[in-house]
Amino acid sequence: MKPEDKKCLKQIWLGKILILTGTIGIIITSTIVDVSVALNLYTSISQRSDIRKYSQICPTQSPISTLCNVFEEFITISEKLRKEDVYQLLLIEFLAIGTSFALMIYAFPFSLNSHKSYPLSWSVHLLLPEETIAELMALKRRRQKQNLPQWKLNFELTTEVLLLLWAIHIQVRFQNLSLPPSKKRNID
Amino acid sequence: MPRSKKTVDDEQDSVRLSAIDEDILTVLLGRELYGLEILDELNPDRPIPLRFSSLYPALNRLELKGLVDWKWGDEMDESGGARRKYYKVTGLGAKTLRSVQEYRMALMLRANGGGLGGAVGA
């Protein structure tokens, strides 16, 4: 492979890694935020129910009852503060998701357009295995030799790419669930 | 340690072939072809032409069943430096295909024999 092709492929892989990092970022951030929100709510609910239990047991004018009322007020105030914390956490979550999304959107065209001199089909390297790229390129050359109109050529290649994406990323994965694992090959 | 005949027979018995699998094995028998060549061999006489999207899942299936194997070809300028995979039938693949073909042949002979017998009987 030519050095410039290798460089292009490296950039494509960088794009892939960025996309992957963005996606993992979204998942981790969402999980952390959701767990912390759930813990906050659980703690406040359990504390409030405890205080209410004590205040019901104590006589109305007793100092303990007054103390319970003070505690309940304190809990109410802290709940308000927690709600603000929750809003802050949600804001952080939205920001994280937004950033990851922006990163993904940025990474994609960056990896595709890094080398304008390469044909667009190089961009498919991000999504399809090497052998399918080789076959698609060979098909493209063949159709070009047949002097097919450009729109027809583009339509055919786009259809093939879309069908291959479906076949390789979904159909084959489902199919592999019911098949034995790949055996070690010694043909290479 | 060599495997017993029973184990080999069991392995062969468990292999099932779809129509596409059988077509691909027939085309690949005794030679190495890449994807587009397989399609070129199959499609001219096929009522419903195969596409890459049907070919690759079938080849993956056949590979996992141990019926075909592949090797990387050289990098081609015309394919932008990407390499092709050259597929060939394994011993198990050839055996399985042969047994399916023998079964079809026996079925055809039986059907023809039955037809003639029926005609004679009438």
Side-chain angles (χ1 to χ4, degrees):
Chain A
M1 191 179 273
K2 292 172 200 167
E4 59 265 33
D5 292 346
K6 271 191 180 169
K7 201 177 166 188
C8 179
L9 267 181
K10 270 183 194 169
Q11 288 195 343
I12 286 168
W13 274 104
L14 178 72
K16 271 185 178 182
I17 290 163
L18 282 174
I19 290 168
L20 189 72
T21 317
T23 317
I24 291 169
I26 289 173
I27 294 164
I28 291 174
T29 321
S30 309
T31 314
I32 290 170
V33 169
D34 291 342
V35 166
S36 63
V37 165
L39 281 175
N40 264 327
L41 288 174
Y42 175 75
T43 321
S44 95
I45 288 164
S46 64
Q47 279 178 344
R48 187 182 269 275
S49 65
D50 284 347
I51 298 283
R52 276 198 184 132
K53 228 186 273 172
Y54 281 119
S55 62
Q56 278 168 4
I57 294 165
C58 302
T60 22
Q61 295 303 320
S62 71
I64 296 172
S65 170
T66 321
L67 200 64
C68 282
N69 287 336
V70 169
F71 266 128
E72 197 166 352
E73 268 178 41
F74 174 72
I75 292 288
T76 316
I77 291 164
S78 69
E79 256 181 16
K80 267 185 194 170
L81 288 172
R82 272 197 191 120
K83 269 183 191 168
E84 279 171 18
D85 282 352
V86 168
Y87 289 136
Q88 271 184 356
L89 282 170
L90 284 173
L91 188 68
I92 290 167
E93 185 174 11
F94 281 123
L95 279 174
I97 290 170
T99 313
S100 311
F101 203 71
L103 184 73
M104 283 168 74
I105 290 169
Y106 172 73
F108 218 76
F110 169 74
S111 56
L112 300 191
N113 300 326
S114 54
H115 278 258
K116 301 268 187 195
S117 58
Y118 283 96
L120 187 65
S121 48
W122 271 86
S123 61
V124 188
H125 268 283
L126 279 167
L127 306 161
L128 289 173
E130 188 177 347
E131 68 272 16
T132 54
I133 305 286
E135 304 288 1
L136 286 171
M137 294 292 278
L139 183 70
K140 188 182 173 186
R141 300 268 166 164
R142 185 184 287 183
R143 293 286 184 265
Q144 276 172 342
K145 276 179 194 167
Q146 288 170 352
N147 291 326
L148 231 66
Q150 190 62 34
W151 69 267
K152 215 172 175 180
L153 177 71
N154 287 343
F155 178 76
E156 191 181 346
L157 285 175
T158 312
T159 314
E160 289 290 352
V161 168
L162 291 175
L163 289 172
L164 268 172
L165 283 173
W166 166 264
I168 283 165
H169 294 290
I170 295 165
Q171 194 183 337
V172 166
R173 276 164 209 266
F174 274 105
Q175 181 183 273
N176 286 355
L177 294 175
S178 61
L179 288 170
S182 182
K183 287 170 188 167
K184 196 185 170 188
R185 297 177 309 103
N186 52 8
I187 195 169
D188 272 351
Chain B
M1 192 179 149
R3 285 186 299 176
S4 66
K5 189 177 180 298
K6 193 168 182 285
T7 321
V8 174
D9 285 347
D10 285 349
E11 198 174 70
Q12 202 175 326
D13 283 346
S14 65
V15 178
R16 299 279 177 270
L17 288 183
S18 70
I20 293 178
D21 295 351
E22 201 182 323
D23 290 353
I24 293 169
L25 284 181
T26 311
V27 162
L28 285 176
L29 202 63
R31 52 188 172 164
E32 284 184 8
L33 299 174
Y34 59 88
L36 197 57
E37 281 180 331
I38 299 173
L39 290 186
D40 287 343
E41 293 286 331
L42 283 175
N43 280 341
D45 303 322
R46 219 181 140 78
I48 302 166
L50 269 187
R51 307 184 81 122
F52 287 123
S53 51
S54 315
L55 180 72
Y56 278 103
L59 284 170
N60 168 72
R61 192 164 58 232
L62 290 169
E63 187 199 339
L64 290 183
K65 285 178 181 173
L67 305 180
V68 297
D69 214 336
W70 56 265
K71 68 174 181 187
W72 285 112
D74 294 330
E75 292 162 3
M76 310 281 286
D77 275 345
E78 66 163 15
S79 58
R83 293 169 300 169
R84 284 171 179 154
K85 267 185 184 176
Y86 285 84
Y87 295 89
K88 71 169 190 178
V89 178
T90 60
L92 178 65
K95 237 185 234 180
T96 312
L97 181 66
R98 204 176 305 126
S99 65
V100 171
Q101 284 173 342
E102 279 168 7
Y103 164 72
R104 295 222 189 287
M105 187 62 78
L107 203 66
M108 203 171 72
L109 287 173
R110 209 182 310 153
N112 284 340
L116 286 173
V120 169

